[in-house]
Amino acid sequence: MNVPLPTSLEDLAVEMTRHGWEVSWQRNHGEARVEGSLRGGAAAMATARYTLEKGWVTRFYAIESVEDGGTHWLRIRRHALLTFISTSRVPTDAPQWIVRDTKCRCRKRSQATQWRALHLLAGLQLERLSTRGVEEEKRVYRCRHDARRWHLTTQEERTPNSWHGTAAAL
């Protein structure tokens, strides 16, 4: 079944790009996701899943860039995400729910955003420059069980992933 992608994700990707966010997106059979990140760790994500009963069900998430390094995703509504995209802050009066649970079953240390995972990777690689013979992490990858988690690995890239780094192709 070829179901058209909901335009709200395309609009969000365009809006993120307009405000200087780095945008990536993924589409699979009946599922779509757009994610944006800013330097410093702020992140936004919108996911959509098609069901026969409800049609497209869309959810919106954000991580504010906080000095204490907080890494929890907030589930918010669309209008709050639009404000977040333009200001990097979730409106204080907007309903929000902290997402504490994870579907990740990897038993690996994880980071909430790709930016934070890459930041950790760079720090580990700098720390291990003087260590010889120790296998070190080479890249980060998105958890296959939970799109809100990133892991580090010592393995080289094995297969191309379905993530694309530009909203222009939407």
Side-chain angles (χ1 to χ4, degrees), residues 108 121 136-141 151-155:
K108 295 181 179 183
L121 176 63
E136 63 184 51
E137 290 81 1
K138 294 179 176 68
R139 65 180 177 88
V140 300
Y141 66 96
H151 300 295
L152 281 67
T153 184
T154 58
Q155 298 179 6

Side-chain angles (χ1 to χ4, degrees), residues 129-147:
L129 276 176
S130 62
T131 308
R132 296 177 191 264
V134 175
E135 193 171 14
E136 63 184 51
E137 290 81 1
K138 294 179 176 68
R139 65 180 177 88
V140 300
Y141 66 96
R142 183 177 296 281
C143 178
R144 65 186 178 132
H145 302 292
D146 188 342

